[in-house]
Amino acid sequence: MKAVLYNDIKLAKDTASPLVFFIVAILALSFLVRGKFSEQFFLQWAFIMIFTLRTQIAFGDKFKDLQKFMTMPVSIENYSLAKIIKNLIVFLLTSLVFLIGLITSPDEDRLILNMYVNILIALDFLSLSFSHLIFTKYKKSLVSLLYGLLIVGFGFIFGMIYMTNYETLINYRPIFIGGSIIICILSFSLDYKYSTKFLREKEIV
């Protein structure tokens, strides 16, 4: 599993480096032109970077290295787990960037910060995990569109519910955080279970 994960992390780094450099260059240029740092501008480009990175890394993998690793002492289970751990690492790192942007943003964005931490981050991971297992079965890059639609759908539905009942729901933060942890664990487990199943079917075929 370590060999698969190391190889995937290396490829992910090669994919991420040009995009991160491009985003940083845009933010630096914006700072030079405006003479100040814009949190909103940072959030906009951070979201673009996050979505692009996740889709490129999670759904750009065509599992061409499957047969290579199957000739080594690597099981389908370990191969599948390595792929999902890679996605988890990318998800955590990109979510951290987004959270930093929200934390440093003006006070009026605190509602969005609370909403993201309490529930949307879990639904975001659920969307990524579900899209990944669909991608594992069909190997279609258009799955990134499904991921985008799920993010927008969950964000709109639960965002509206949360914002309209904010004063009441904020008192249930521990419950939301606990529920979010459960959602993330279940998402990871289901992704691993079905991705492994689909990869085993591909190996047989």
Side-chain angles (χ1 to χ4, degrees):
M1 186 184 77
K2 290 182 179 179
V4 181
L5 186 58
Y6 175 80
N7 183 66
D8 280 354
I9 293 295
K10 183 179 178 181
L11 292 175
K13 185 178 71 172
D14 293 340
T15 301
S17 296
L19 181 59
V20 172
F21 177 80
F22 177 71
I23 298 297
V24 170
I26 289 178
L27 293 174
L29 181 62
S30 172
F31 178 79
L32 291 174
V33 172
R34 300 185 181 191
K36 63 178 182 178
F37 181 77
S38 171
E39 292 85 358
Q40 292 297 326
F41 192 71
F42 172 79
L43 280 176
Q44 291 168 3
W45 280 100
F47 181 79
I48 293 173
M49 180 189 73
I50 288 168
F51 182 79
T52 304
L53 271 179
R54 288 180 182 176
T55 54
Q56 285 292 318
I57 294 173
F59 311 133
D61 189 346
K62 301 296 185 181
F63 307 110
K64 293 179 180 179
D65 57 354
L66 175 60
Q67 293 303 321
K68 180 184 76 172
F69 282 109
M70 288 304 99
T71 62
M72 302 169 61
V74 176
S75 66
I76 284 287
E77 289 77 10
N78 286 338
Y79 179 86
S80 177
L81 183 59
K83 298 291 182 181
I84 296 171
I85 290 177
K86 172 202 66 177
N87 293 342
L88 176 61
I89 292 172
V90 172
F91 178 85
L92 291 175
L93 292 176
T94 52
S95 295
L96 180 61
V97 172
F98 192 64
L99 282 172
I100 290 173
L102 289 175
I103 291 171
T104 58
S105 61
D107 290 339
E108 55 264 25
D109 289 336
R110 294 302 174 190
L111 171 61
I112 299 176
L113 173 62
N114 289 327
M115 182 169 61
Y116 186 71
V117 171
N118 289 346
I119 187 66
L120 289 185
I121 192 170
L123 296 176
D124 188 5
F125 186 66
L126 171 63
S127 302
L128 182 66
S129 298
F130 178 74
S131 300
H132 178 256
L133 68 88
I134 296 297
F135 172 77
T136 305
K137 182 172 179 62
Y138 296 106
K139 291 199 302 184
K140 301 294 184 181
S141 297
L142 284 176
V143 171
S144 58
L145 177 60
L146 171 64
Y147 175 52
L149 291 174
L150 287 173
I151 291 177
V152 172
F154 281 139
F156 179 77
I157 295 171
F158 287 91
M160 290 296 293
I161 294 173
Y162 195 89
M163 285 189 291
T164 53
N165 300 278
Y166 178 73
E167 296 298 331
T168 302
L169 294 179
I170 194 65
N171 298 319
Y172 297 93
R173 175 178 290 180
I175 297 176
F176 277 110
I177 293 177
S180 295
I181 293 173
I182 292 173
I183 290 173
C184 289
I185 293 173
L186 288 176
S187 299
F188 187 94
S189 300
L190 289 173
D191 190 4
Y192 171 69
K193 177 181 178 180
Y194 286 100
S195 291
T196 303
K197 176 178 179 290
F198 297 147
L199 285 172
R200 184 175 289 109
E201 291 173 354
K202 291 179 188 299
E203 186 190 25
I204 294 173
V205 173

